Each structure stands twice: as structure tokens, then as C-alpha cells.
């Protein structure tokens, strides 16, 4: 729980990398102190010792020293490189979500956070997560830039219109933590936040089973794909398909007309739906209409979730939450998932080895 | 009045006109080509903008006294911090030292009659006025609420405010910077007096040379960015707006490609001032002159390569982040070199603690903290947590207020006797320097802690447990505010009642101290020939120390 001592110096450490960030912080504080003490002491000592005794005196000349200059160029350089390396290590940790992360979708909107769980729960300005699980947030926004910021987890990431960005964490302590929007977003920017609730797995499961509202993202995506938007008429597979095959595409390289190759990640999928003519797959005609303006950000995330579910191997990262995996729609996807995704049981096991 | 001044302003100098008395009509000011008069007009205008910016700052701090957004509603608060930022950055920090002190002193310091392009200099002042007028007009009409960073798509499609007008103001203002920079570069190259070699230039001039390079190369980018914004709005071309195919992150790249170097436009001239102060008030040649000179150039060059460190959490690739973080660490080195050199300059000096020197020593302490906390923000893993929090607010105030503003104040005090011929009250000068130092730390140090706690910037309301630190901050701001207002009072007072300063009140060898105070329109009676190195204090360099002591004794 949020402790409120009189003047708190540190926010709570509530994620696996919080301690690493704090360690880096401590290292920098030590470096700063070690660097400042000689300078401050020197300034004071010189100021007192060499203060003017005679008005307008001309002290002895001294021009500089190559040795000193070299030494005090090299030392800061070496120290700054250690800081660079430390920072890079922690950064890699912060921005490399493990493959077995449970995925949650976040859509920012002036001025609220809309959150969608794989199982269909939706919440606003609150995020419930289980303790000890790797959680990956896939985020976008309907309007302007926002930034999903959880100080207790020592992480944040901008949320950018027109693309997906990520954030992951593994919460280590049950509790209630501040959630802020940290990128200025207009009128009610400072009101755009709430709390992250970290719960024991059991409580989380209870919470999940509580308020399931309608469809899971994958189901909703499938519904849009098959019925509402008519994507299936071109992409349904079979010999007559006019659109590219989507099964197994996620996280694989795609050859485009013109020779370029791109990796079909979430941003690629999103862009293919909104600006199809900007990346036509080799062997196909640029006949797909744009769906810009017809789908909301939340529907888009669902579509992307559905297309990802068609590639169970590559999408291990996103479909490995227990609930979502079992409800994954396409029958063939399910079986191949069972056959090949050997890492999955391990992923589930993860939940308990907190 | 005039003749009295002429007699009093120095021993041995004949009755003659100085730049202030040479013509007193409004026209003689508005059409002047004299760099010194232009500098004075800049001084007045920049001070007005600083005052406005300061009033906004006071409002911000009052609002943040309590966690709730109770004094101002969010809409107003958002405008207040935006306008505070815009006025301070574009209309105070960037022009202050170059356009006031640089303009006044650079030609005198190199022994020139004026800047190389005097009409262009006047033009740059007019451009500044037009730009400032436009922005003030926009603020009165309704103001802007985008933050001084104008991030898209908020600024292009969601903000119902005077973004375009303010953008236009900043666009126009950019030309003022570019022209000033250009003028300095040409002047330094072509107008140096005989004997004034590159390595005899005062470090203030070196710093302005480096700054001018950044101004000339960097400022066009902000102009282009604003132009692209306008094109997008008018012609609906997708440049930054994702809903028409643009990329909002592109805006950030362009914006920071200018605005990061702009930070060096703000701080390099300040470092130049500090080099002068430290050396002159310890009466010792700056330690490692060449290193300080070249570190300015190094900072200017590397400053162009680190813009991406403002975007570590924007979703940019991890590898781009690595490169930017690395380069950021590299830029820290020349700043560290300067710190060491200034400190070493004090060694075995003959240090006097006049007001300007108090500011200089304050600068060293505050810039140390500002610079070191820059390392925190350059270390990627840590900055993810710190970005867009009050830690950043504290850091940039340590650099920009603790650095630039303090250097500017030190410089104003130091050269005031030269500019006006009058001496201000040392007593009040020292008090104000100390109030500024104490008030500043009390204001901004707590913000590091509150930032690490996670308090995001640009928040009108914040969680209650953070209130204690915010109270400290607001209390400090009151002290700081008083400290900053005092010079306005006693400096003005010195104009009327100040003692005459004499030509060389600090008894220094620089060229600016070898002409009368205030200097004549042509700067020197006869073209000076430089035969001494920068910062050489001996009698052999033409300083009549005995005479100075006699004078000093007579004054007291
Ligand atoms: C009494 C002195 C000052 C106080 C108390 C003060 C306070 C503040 C505060 C609290 C903010 C943060 C607003 C926010 O992010 O929510 C801010 C922003 C800023 N301040 Fe100051 N400030 C002071 C002086 C200055 C000065 C002298 C300058 C420059 C010369 C300056 C430049 C800026 C800039 C550029 C911003 C960024 C605005 C933005 O976030 O868009 N400040 N100031
Ligand atoms: Cu927001």
C-alpha cells in the first residue's frame, strides 16, 4: 500500500526492475557527491585562502597544465561511460517484454485510460493486474499523445496516435499504485490517471470472473473480421482469395510490391488496415479499401488481436494468458498452438513462482 | 547634467560625448546604428518579458501550493505554464546574454568601432519587437495552452488557442537570432583590432562565437518546423498528423533538433560570462584558456547530435536511444572540463568578492547540480522513470536559471559601471546575490525529490502526499522572487544616485576597460593596438595600479 511518511524520498518499489532503477539512481547520487565534494571544497578553500589581501594585486601567472587537463577529461569520460552502460542495461530490461507476458490493451483518450483485458474485462482509469506475472501493455490513443506512467514500477511510455507502443512490468507487491498521464495532453491532463491495483493471483481471478463484459478482444476482432467489416470476403483463405493470407503472418517477414520486406508486427497490421495502399503485399493488387474512419481504436486493437491469434506460434507473447489462449477462436489456430507452443505451460507456471 | 557626467566619468578624460549623451531624441535611439544603444534597447525589452515570465512563474507556484487545482482552473493553468515557458525561453533566455551583453561588449572587447553589420543589428531588434508584439497580442487575445514544446497533434488539431499566431511570433523571432549570430561571426572574423589574435580573444568572445554557430545553423530548423506546421494546417498535407498520414514523432525530432542546441544558445554565453568573472575577480589568467575555448566549440558541435535524448520514451527504437544516450554522455565531458578549469583558476589568485563574483561562485554551485542531474537524465534506464516529471523541471531550472540567469545577472552587475558609468550599491548587490542563491535552492531542490516520487510536470493538481515538498518550493520561490526584483530597484537607483564608476573600476586589462565609461559612440578615441594576452594583470600591460589605488582611496 501507498505509505505516506512525512516527506517521502522514494516512491514504493513495486516491480522487478524498480530496484535496478533505484540502484542506478543511487550510483548516480554517489558519483555526483564524489564529483562535487572536491570541487566544492576546492572552491571554498581557495576562496578563503586566496582572498584578496591587497587591492589590485597581481598574483603569479599560471597558464594551464596538459597533464591535469588530460586527467580531468579522461576521468569524467570513463565515469560517464559506466553510467551509460548501466543506463542501457536497465533500459533494455524495461523495453524488452518477455515472451510469456500477459497482454493488455490500452487506449488513451482525452482524458481517460481505457483498458481492455484479454478476457473481455474493460476498465477505465484503473488497471488490475496479478502479482508476479509479466504484463505487457499494448497502447495507442484516439487523439493526442499521452504517456502511461506508473512511478512505483519505475516505468512509463508514451502513447502515440497512429501506432502501438509498449510497456511491460512484473509487479512484485500487491497494492494500489498511482497511474499518471505524463505527456501533456490538454485541459484535464493532471486528472488523467487513477490507480494500478496489484492483486494476488486468486483475487485477480475473482476479479476477472466478476465483470466480464461481452466479448474478448479476439472474439470482437473475429466478429468484425467475419461479419461486420467483411474482411473475410477477401482474406478468408482458399484458392480464390484476393487478399493476402493472414494465418501465420504475425511476426513474419512480408515481401511488398517494390521489393521491400517488412516484419508484420502490430504496427504493420494496423497500418495495413488504415492505409492498405501504402504497403501492398507482393502478388496482390492494391484493391483493399481503407478502413480509416470506420473503425475505432478499440476495434482496431481487437482486429489486431484477432489476426495475431491466427499466428499462435509467433504470437506466443500475446496469446499466452490462460483465458485468452483457451478462447482463441480459429480452431486450427488452437490445435497448432497446442502442438508447437512448448513454452506455454512454462508461461503459465510462471504465475506461481513469484 | 550632461557636462557634470562628462567630468566625473574618469580621471584624465576630456569633456566629450558618450554613447548615451550623443543625441537624446527618440529618433536618435530608434534609428541608431550604435551597437551599444541597440543593446540598451534590448535590455529594456528583454527585462519586460522577464517580468511577465516571472509573474507567470509566481502564479504557477501559488497554484501548486495546494494539491487541488483551486486557484486556477486547469484551462488557465495550462496557459500560464505554457506562456511562462514561451516568454522565458524565446524572449528571455535566448536573446538575453547575446543581444544585451554580447551586443554591447563584443565589439569593444575586440577593439572594433561597431558590429560588422550595424543596420542588420538594428533590424534584428525590430524583428524581436515584432515577434514579441505578436506573441503578447496572442496572449492577450486568449493565449496558448500547448506547452512551449508545441507537440503535435495536440498543437495542430486539438488546441483551441492561438497556436498559429504564437508560432508565427517564434518563427519571426528566429530571424532575430540568426541575424545576431551572423553579425557576431562576421564581426569576430573581420573586425578584430591589430594584435587581437584568436588566442587573445576574451573567452566571452569565444563563447559567443560558438553560440553564433549554433544560432545560424540551428535556428532555421525551428523556422522550417513552424512552416511545415502551417502547411499542414492550411493544405491538409499529412506531415505530423497521423489521421492524414503524418507522423507526430517527426515533429519531436525536428523540434528537438533545434531546441536541444537552443539550450546551448542559452548556456554557452553564460559560461562565457562566468569565465570572465572568475578570471577577472581572481586577477588570474583563466586556467587552460585553450581548453575552455575549444570546449565551447565542442559543446556547440556535439549539441547538435543529442536531440533524441528528449525522446527516450516516445517509442523510438532502443538502438537510437543507445546512440543518443552515448552522445549525451560525451557532451558532459567538455562541461566538466570547464568546471575544473574555473576551479583551478581560483588557485593562488587574489580573489575579491564583489557582487559579480558572488554570482559567479553561485553559478558554479548551481551549474554543478544542473550538469550532474543532466547525467541522471541521460542514463536511459533512469530517465524512463524521470522523464516528464518534476525532476526534469528542477534540472532545467538549475541549468537555465541557476546557470544562464545567474550568469546574466553576474554579467549585468560586472559591466553595469561600463554601460552606465555608475556604481550600484555593493551592499544591496551582495544581499540580492545571496537571496537569489538561497531562494533558488529552496525552490528547485525539492523538485528533484518530488520528481523522483513521480509527480508529473504540467500538472495543475497532484497527489496529497507530495504537498510538503511543494510548500517548500513555493516558499523558496517567494525568496527568489524578492532576490530577483531587488537588482531592478538598486540598479535603477544607481542611475540617479550612483557614484561615478570611472573607466576601470575593477582595474582590469580587457579592452572594454580601456575606454571611458560609458564608452563614446566610436568605442575608442583612437584605434587600440593589442600587445598583451587575454587576462594579463601586470603593470607592464598598461594598467596604472598606483593611480587606481589612489582613486579608490579618494572614493571611499
Ligand atoms: C521564480 C522563478 C521560477 C519559478 C518558481 C518557476 C516555476 C516553474 C514551474 C513550476 C514550471 C513547471 C510547469 C509545469 O511543468 O507544470 C516551470 C516551467 C518552466 N520554466 Fe520556470 N520558474 C521560474 C523561473 C524561470 C525562469 C527564470 C525561466 C527562464 C528564464 C524559466 C523557464 C521555464 C520553462 C522553459 C518552463 C517549461 C514550461 C513548460 O513546461 O512548457 N522559469 N517553471
Ligand atoms: Cu494524457
Amino acid at each position: 500500500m501507498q505509505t505516506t511518511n512525512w516527506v517521502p524520498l522514494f516512491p514504493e518499489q513495486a516491480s522487478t526492475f524498480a530496484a535496478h532503477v533505484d540502484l542506478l539512481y543511487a550510483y548516480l547520487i554517489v558519483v555526483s557527491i564524489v564529483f562535487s565534494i572536491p570541487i566544492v571544497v576546492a572552491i571554498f578553500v581557495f576562496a578563503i585562502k586566496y582572498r584578496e589581501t591587497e587591492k589590485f594585486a597581481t598574483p603569479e601567472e599560471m597558464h594551464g597544465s596538459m597533464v591535469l587537463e588530460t586527467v580531468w577529461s579522461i576521468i569524467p569520460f570513463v565515469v560517464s561511460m559506466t553510467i551509460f552502460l548501466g543506463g542501457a542495461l536497465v533500459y533494455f530490461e524495461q523495453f524488452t517484454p518477455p515472451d510469456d507476458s500477459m497482454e493488455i490493451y490500452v487506449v488513451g483518450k482525452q482524458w481517460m485510460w481505457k483498458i481492455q483485458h484479454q478476457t473481455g474485462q474493460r476498465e477505465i482509469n484503473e488497471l488490475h493486474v496479478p502479482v508476479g506475472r509479466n504484463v505487457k501493455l499494448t497502447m495507442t490513443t484516439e487523439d493526442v499523445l499521452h504517456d502511461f506512467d506508473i512511478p512505483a514500477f519505475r516505468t512509463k511510455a508514451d502513447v502515440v496516435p497512429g501506432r502501438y507502443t509498449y510497456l511491460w512490468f512484473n509487479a512484485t507487491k500487491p497494492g494500489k499504485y498511482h497511474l499518471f498521464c505524463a505527456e501533456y495532453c490538454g485541459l484535464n491532463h493532471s486528472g488523467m490517471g487513477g490507480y494500478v491495483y496489484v492483486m494476488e493471483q486468486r483475487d485477480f481471478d475473482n476479479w476477472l470472473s466478476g465483470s466480464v463484459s461481452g466479448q474478448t478482444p479476439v472474439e470482437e476482432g473475429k466478429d468484425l473480421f467475419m461479419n461486420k467489416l467483411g474482411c473475410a470476403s477477401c482474406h478468408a483463405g482458399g484458392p480464390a482469395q484476393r487478399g493476402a493470407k493472414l494465418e501465420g503472418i504475425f511476426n513474419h517477414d512480408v515481401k511488398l510490391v517494390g521489393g521491400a520486406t517488412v516484419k508484420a508486427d502490430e504496427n504493420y497490421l494496423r497500418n495495413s488496415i488504415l492505409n492498405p495502399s501504402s504497403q501492398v503485399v507482393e502478388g496482390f493488387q492494391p484493391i483493399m479499401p481503407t478502413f480509416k474512419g470506420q473503425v475505432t481504436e478499440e476495434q482496431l486493437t481487437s482486429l489486431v488481436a484477432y489476426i495475431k491469434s491466427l499466428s499462435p506460434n509467433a504470437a506466443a507473447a500475446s496469446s499466452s494468458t490462460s483465458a485468452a489462449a483457451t478462447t482463441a477462436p480459429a480452431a486450427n489456430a488452437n490445435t497448432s498452438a497446442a502442438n508447437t507452443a512448448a513454452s506455454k505451460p512454462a508461461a503459465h507456471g510462471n504465475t506461481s513462482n513469484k | 547634467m550632461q557636462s557634470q557626467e562628462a567630468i566625473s566619468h574618469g580621471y584624465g578624460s576630456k569633456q566629450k560625448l558618450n554613447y548615451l549623451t550623443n543625441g537624446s531624441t527618440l529618433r536618435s535611439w530608434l534609428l541608431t546604428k550604435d551597437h551599444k544603444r541597440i543593446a540598451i534597447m534590448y535590455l529594456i525589452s528583454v527585462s519586460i518579458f522577464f517580468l511577465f515570465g516571472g509573474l507567470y512563474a509566481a502564479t504557477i507556484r501559488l497554484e501548486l501550493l495546494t494539491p487541488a487545482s483551486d486557484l486556477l482552473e486547469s484551462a488557465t493553468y495550462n496557459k500560464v505554464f505554457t506562456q511562462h515557458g514561451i516568454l522565458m525561453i524565446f524572449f528571455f533566455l535566448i536573446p538575453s546574454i547575446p543581444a544585451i551583453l554580447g551586443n554591447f561588449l563584443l565589439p569593444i572587447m575586440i577593439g572594433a568601432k561597431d558590429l560588422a553589420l550595424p543596420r542588420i543589428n538594428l533590424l534584428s531588434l525590430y524583428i524581436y519587437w515584432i515577434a514579441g508584439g505578436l506573441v503578447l497580442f496572442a496572449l492577450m487575445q486568449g493565449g496558448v495552452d500547448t506547452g512551449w514544446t508545441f507537440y503535435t497533434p495536440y498543437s495542430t488539431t486539438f488546441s483551441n488557442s492561438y497556436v498559429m499566431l504564437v508560432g508565427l511570433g517564434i518563427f519571426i523571432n528566429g530571424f532575430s537570432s540568426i541575424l545576431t549570430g551572423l553579425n557576431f561571426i562576421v564581426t569576430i572574423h573581420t573586425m578584430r583590432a591589430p594584435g587581437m589574435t584568436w588566442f587573445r580573444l576574451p573567452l566571452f568572445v569565444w563563447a559567443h562565437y560558438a553560440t553564433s554557430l549554433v544560432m545560424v545553423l540551428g535556428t532555421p530548423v525551428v523556422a522550417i518546423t513552424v512552416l511545415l506546421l502551417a502547411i499542414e494546417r492550411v493544405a491538409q498535407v499529412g506531415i505530423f498528423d497521423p489521421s492524414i498520414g503524418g507522423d507526430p514523432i517527426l515533429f519531436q525530432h525536428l523540434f528537438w533538433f533545434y531546441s536541444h542546441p537552443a539550450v546551448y544558445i542559452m548556456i554557452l554565453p553564460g559560461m562565457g560570462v562566468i569565465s570572465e568573472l572568475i578570471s577577472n575577480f581572481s586577477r588570474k589568467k583563466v586556467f587552460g584558456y585553450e581548453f575552455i575555448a575549444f570546449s565551447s566549440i565542442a559543446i556547440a558541435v556535439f549539441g547538435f547530435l543529442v536531440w533524441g535524448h528528449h525522446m527516450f520514451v516516445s517509442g523510438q527504437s532502443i538502438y537510437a536511444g543507445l546512440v543518443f544516450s552515448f552522445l549525451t554522455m560525451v557532451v558532459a565531458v567538455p562541461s566538466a572540463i570547464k568546471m575544473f578549469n574555473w576551479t583551478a583558476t581560483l588557485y593562488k589568485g587574489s580573489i575579491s568578492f564583489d557582487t559579480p563574483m558572488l554570482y559567479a561562485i553561485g553559478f558554479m554551485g548551481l551549474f554543478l547540480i544542473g550538469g550532474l542531474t543532466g547525467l541522471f537524465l541521460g542514463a536511459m534506464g533512469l530517465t524512463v522513470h524521470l522523464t516528464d516529471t518534476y525532476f526534469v523541471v528542477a534540472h532545467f531550472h538549475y541549468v537555465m536559471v541557476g546557470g544562464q540567469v545567474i550568469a546574466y545577472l553576474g554579467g549585468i552587475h560586472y559591466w553595469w559601471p561600463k554601460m552606465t558609468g555608475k556604481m550600484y550599491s555593493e551592499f544591496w548587490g551582495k544581499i540580492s546575490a545571496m537571496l537569489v542563491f538561497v531562494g533558488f535552492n529552496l525552490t528547485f531542490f525539492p523538485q528533484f525529490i518530488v520528481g523522483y516520487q513521480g509527480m508529473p510536470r504540467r500538472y495543475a493538481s497532484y497527489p496529497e502526499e507530495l504537498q510538503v515538498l511543494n510548500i517548500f518550493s513555493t516558499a523558496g520561490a517567494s525568496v527568489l522572487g524578492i532576490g530577483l526584483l531587488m537588482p531592478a530597484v538598486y540598479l535603477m537607483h544607481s542611475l540617479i544616485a550612483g557614484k561615478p564608476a570611472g573607466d576601470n573600476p575593477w582595474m582590469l586589462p580587457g579592452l572594454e576597460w580601456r575606454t571611458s565609461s560609458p564608452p563614446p559612440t566610436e568605442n575608442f578615441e583612437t584605434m587600440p593596438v593589442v600587445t598583451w594576452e587575454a587576462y594579463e594583470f601586470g603593470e607592464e600591460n598598461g594598467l596604472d595600479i598606483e593611480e587606481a589605488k589612489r582613486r579608490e582611496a579618494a572614493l571611499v
Side-chain angles (χ1 to χ4, degrees):
Chain A
M1 281 288 135
Q2 212 85 29
T3 50
T4 39
N5 36 359
W6 189 61
V7 179
L9 295 182
F10 288 89
E12 211 153 342
Q13 286 183 349
S15 77
T16 45
F17 41 63
H20 302 173
V21 175
D22 285 353
L23 194 65
L24 193 60
Y25 185 54
Y27 173 61
L28 269 147
I29 290 177
V30 170
V31 168
S32 307
I33 292 175
V34 169
F35 185 88
S36 309
I37 285 181
I39 293 194
V40 172
V41 168
I43 292 175
F44 268 101
V45 169
F46 294 167
I48 291 166
K49 191 157 170 217
Y50 302 115
R51 72 182 177 280
E52 184 178 73
T53 45
E54 185 199 341
K55 200 84 190 152
F56 307 134
T58 310
E60 82 184 74
E61 293 248 350
M62 197 176 355
H63 287 269
S65 149
M66 201 59 194
V67 180
L68 272 180
E69 300 280 0
T70 318
V71 169
W72 67 41
S73 310
I74 289 179
I75 292 179
F77 182 75
V78 172
V79 174
S80 73
M81 284 304 113
T82 64
I83 297 170
F84 165 68
L85 283 178
L89 288 178
V90 178
Y91 189 71
F92 268 109
E93 198 183 0
Q94 283 162 323
F95 283 97
T96 321
D99 282 346
D100 61 0
S101 305
M102 155 184 166
E103 192 160 8
I104 297 174
Y105 298 104
V106 176
V107 176
K109 175 177 172 15
Q110 284 172 323
W111 292 274
M112 61 168 106
W113 294 109
K114 301 202 270 184
I115 289 158
Q116 249 176 299
H117 291 261
Q118 292 279 3
T119 43
Q121 272 85 359
R122 289 161 191 252
E123 40 185 339
I124 286 184
N125 288 347
E126 292 189 344
L127 170 62
H128 288 78
V129 291
V131 70
R133 280 277 287 283
N134 298 325
V135 175
K136 178 185 171 201
L137 307 180
T138 297
M139 312 185 291
T140 189
T141 136
E142 283 176 19
D143 37 52
V144 303
L145 296 169
H146 300 280
D147 183 294
F148 201 86
D149 175 15
I150 313 156
F153 295 173
R154 306 290 189 278
T155 191
K156 68 161 71 72
D158 280 1
V159 181
V160 181
R163 66 168 75 167
Y164 293 112
T165 56
Y166 310 92
L167 186 67
W168 87 276
F169 55 81
N170 184 323
T172 51
K173 259 199 301 189
K176 176 184 173 192
Y177 306 101
H178 280 296
L179 161 64
F180 295 121
C181 173
E183 184 65 82
Y184 176 68
C185 59
L187 183 64
N188 201 16
H189 170 55
S190 56
M192 182 170 167
Y195 292 96
V196 177
Y197 296 89
V198 177
M199 313 168 91
E200 294 293 354
Q201 183 69 41
R202 198 171 8 91
D203 301 335
F204 181 69
D205 289 339
N206 278 341
W207 179 83
L208 270 188
S209 60
S211 56
V212 181
S213 61
Q215 300 162 299
T216 69
V218 171
E219 283 165 359
E220 190 196 357
K222 186 180 181 195
D223 188 29
L224 288 164
F225 190 89
M226 296 293 177
N227 312 318
K228 300 216 174 96
L229 298 173
C231 319
S233 64
C234 289
H235 289 286
Q241 72 178 4
R242 289 178 290 166
K245 186 164 164 284
L246 301 182
E247 283 80 10
I249 182 185
F250 182 66
N251 258 349
H252 280 86
D253 287 344
V254 178
K255 265 218 162 73
L256 300 183
V257 169
T261 316
V262 294
K263 191 163 127 202
D265 57 7
E266 280 115 330
N267 278 317
Y268 167 86
L269 297 179
R270 173 196 171 86
N271 191 38
S272 299
I273 299 167
L274 296 179
N275 305 303
S277 54
S278 71
Q279 31 189 355
V280 180
V281 180
E282 199 176 65
F284 293 91
Q285 296 299 313
I287 51 168
M288 174 166 160
T290 170
F291 286 85
K292 190 185 295 175
Q294 299 180 44
V295 287
T296 65
E297 282 300 340
E298 282 151 303
Q299 289 175 325
L300 257 177
T301 3
S302 299
L303 274 172
V304 171
Y306 169 66
I307 296 171
K308 280 159 70 178
S309 77
L310 300 177
S311 311
N313 307 347
S318 49
S319 58
S320 65
T321 67
S322 47
T326 46
T327 52
N332 60 337
N334 250 351
T335 46
S336 61
N339 293 341
T340 51
S343 63
K344 267 192 183 168
H348 290 177
N350 224 10
T351 53
S352 50
N353 67 10
K354 179 222 140 171
Chain B
M1 166 80 200
Q2 180 189 312
S3 63
Q4 199 186 9
E5 211 171 85
I7 295 163
S8 65
H9 76 222
Y11 38 105
S13 59
K14 307 172 291 296
Q15 276 204 4
K16 59 189 186 252
L17 292 176
N18 65 49
Y19 81 100
L20 288 172
T21 50
N22 187 7
S24 56
T25 58
L26 191 59
R27 192 186 146 89
S28 74
W29 279 88
L30 291 180
L31 295 182
T32 183
K33 282 174 286 172
D34 184 346
H35 64 103
K36 298 180 289 301
R37 287 196 159 201
I38 297 174
I40 295 297
M41 290 190 278
Y42 261 118
L43 172 63
I44 295 166
S45 352
V46 167
S47 303
I48 292 173
F49 283 107
F50 190 51
L51 184 67
F52 277 113
L55 290 176
Y56 281 125
T59 319
I60 296 176
R61 271 321 328 164
L62 276 180
E63 164 60 51
L64 295 178
L65 189 59
T66 57
S69 148
D70 39 17
L71 176 68
L72 310 170
E73 36 184 54
S74 299
T76 319
Y77 182 80
N78 295 342
K79 287 182 180 167
V80 167
F81 79 72
T82 300
Q83 289 158 194
H84 166 67
I86 289 173
L87 293 183
M88 287 301 195
I89 299 252
F90 296 104
F91 294 91
F92 176 78
L93 288 167
I94 290 181
S96 57
I97 298 186
I100 301 169
L101 296 174
N103 226 336
F104 195 99
L105 292 154
L106 195 134
I108 308 184
M109 282 182 157
I110 65 172
K113 283 188 178 155
D114 203 325
L115 283 172
L117 313 165
R119 284 188 185 81
I120 298 276
N121 195 21
L122 184 62
L123 178 64
S124 80
L125 173 66
Y126 278 91
I127 294 177
Y128 176 80
W129 279 345
I130 294 171
L134 260 180
V135 169
L136 285 184
F137 174 73
L139 301 195
M140 282 175 326
Q141 289 302 301
V144 259
D145 67 344
T146 57
W148 75 277
T149 47
F150 299 104
Y151 275 9
T152 56
Y154 184 70
S155 61
T156 44
T157 17
F158 291 86
S159 164
N160 296 317
S161 59
Y162 285 75
V163 184
M164 286 320 279
L165 203 55
V166 173
L168 183 67
I170 287 168
F171 176 78
I172 295 175
N173 195 40
F175 289 95
S176 169
S177 270
I178 296 174
L179 292 181
T180 304
L182 211 63
N183 216 340
F184 285 177
I185 293 176
V186 178
T187 307
I188 296 171
H189 272 275
T190 62
M191 307 274 288
R192 281 171 288 126
M196 182 52 95
T197 61
W198 282 89
F199 287 110
R200 281 178 175 171
L201 290 176
L203 287 167
F204 180 83
V205 177
W206 270 104
H208 275 80
Y209 188 70
T211 308
S212 305
L213 292 177
V214 184
M215 283 177 161
V216 171
L217 297 175
T219 317
V221 180
V222 78
I224 292 168
T225 313
V226 177
L227 210 59
L228 288 176
L229 265 183
I231 293 174
E232 176 168 279
R233 280 186 85 124
V234 175
Q236 288 298 303
V237 202
I239 301 172
F240 304 124
D241 181 356
S243 68
I244 45 178
D247 180 359
I249 303 293
L250 174 65
F251 177 86
Q252 297 183 20
H253 280 289
L254 288 169
F255 179 83
W256 288 113
F257 187 81
Y258 163 72
S259 293
H260 191 80
V263 175
Y264 297 111
I265 298 181
M266 302 173 214
I267 196 66
L268 277 170
M271 292 171 154
V273 171
I274 295 305
S275 300
E276 295 295 317
L277 296 181
I278 300 274
S279 170
N280 285 323
F281 285 89
S282 13
R283 307 191 69 75
K284 255 186 83 230
K285 187 176 170 115
V286 141
F287 189 87
Y289 170 97
E290 291 85 358
F291 280 85
I292 296 204
F294 284 126
S295 67
S296 289
I297 306 284
I299 290 176
V301 172
F302 278 107
F304 274 108
L305 304 177
V306 300
W307 77 90
H309 71 203
H310 296 270
M311 298 161 64
F312 284 137
V313 296
S314 70
Q316 84 181 346
S317 99
I318 294 186
Y319 299 97
L322 275 181
V323 174
F324 286 123
S325 171
F326 175 80
L327 291 168
T328 304
M329 293 296 161
V330 174
V331 195
V333 176
S335 306
I337 294 178
K338 286 191 199 256
M339 248 353 267
F340 290 128
N341 279 312
W342 289 326
T343 311
T345 304
L346 298 175
Y347 178 67
K348 291 201 170 170
S350 168
I351 306 168
S352 53
F353 296 97
D354 298 302
T355 307
M357 187 60 166
L358 290 190
Y359 275 108
I361 291 177
F363 173 99
M364 289 219 271
L366 301 180
F367 186 70
L368 189 65
I369 298 179
L372 286 167
T373 49
L375 291 179
F376 288 58
L377 295 170
M380 307 157 86
L382 186 51
T383 202
V384 166
H385 174 57
L386 295 175
T387 301
D388 283 321
T389 65
Y390 262 76
F391 193 95
V392 174
V393 174
H395 159 72
F396 72 65
H397 280 89
Y398 264 86
V399 175
M400 296 193 312
V401 185
Q404 201 276 1
V405 179
I406 297 271
Y408 168 71
L409 287 173
I412 286 282
H413 283 85
Y414 172 48
W415 282 297
W416 188 257
K418 178 54 61 184
M419 297 168 84
T420 63
K422 292 298 170 63
M423 210 59 198
Y424 49 84
S425 151
E426 265 296 322
F427 173 77
W428 288 111
K430 286 180 177 158
I431 301 265
S432 92
M434 286 189 269
L435 282 183
V436 168
F437 186 82
V438 172
F440 178 87
N441 281 299
L442 188 54
T443 311
F444 292 105
F445 203 86
Q447 294 182 7
F448 285 123
I449 303 169
V450 109
Y452 201 77
Q453 278 290 316
M455 176 168 164
R457 68 196 281 201
R458 302 175 173 185
Y459 263 32
S461 58
Y462 55 86
E464 279 176 16
E465 63 262 31
L466 302 177
Q467 189 181 8
V468 175
L469 290 164
N470 274 292
I471 292 177
F472 276 111
S473 219
T474 301
S478 328
V479 178
L480 177 58
I482 294 171
L484 289 175
L485 278 175
M486 277 170 52
V489 177
Y490 63 76
L491 288 179
M492 296 298 244
H493 182 252
S494 80
L495 290 181
I496 310 156
K499 286 184 194 150
D503 293 347
N504 194 352
W506 319 111
M507 215 50 210
L508 297 173
L511 266 181
E512 77 269 32
W513 303 111
R514 296 177 189 240
T515 183
S516 44
S517 306
T521 302
E522 305 265 271
N523 292 347
F524 298 95
E525 305 276 283
T526 51
M527 161 88 88
V529 177
V530 181
T531 55
W532 59 91
E533 305 298 315
Y535 314 112
E536 288 203 337
F537 295 86
E539 308 230 2
E540 61 279 16
N541 296 313
L543 295 184
D544 190 345
I545 307 257
E546 287 313 311
E547 168 68 29
K549 282 187 186 159
R550 268 198 301 283
R551 229 189 111 254
E552 173 92 4
L555 268 184
V556 176

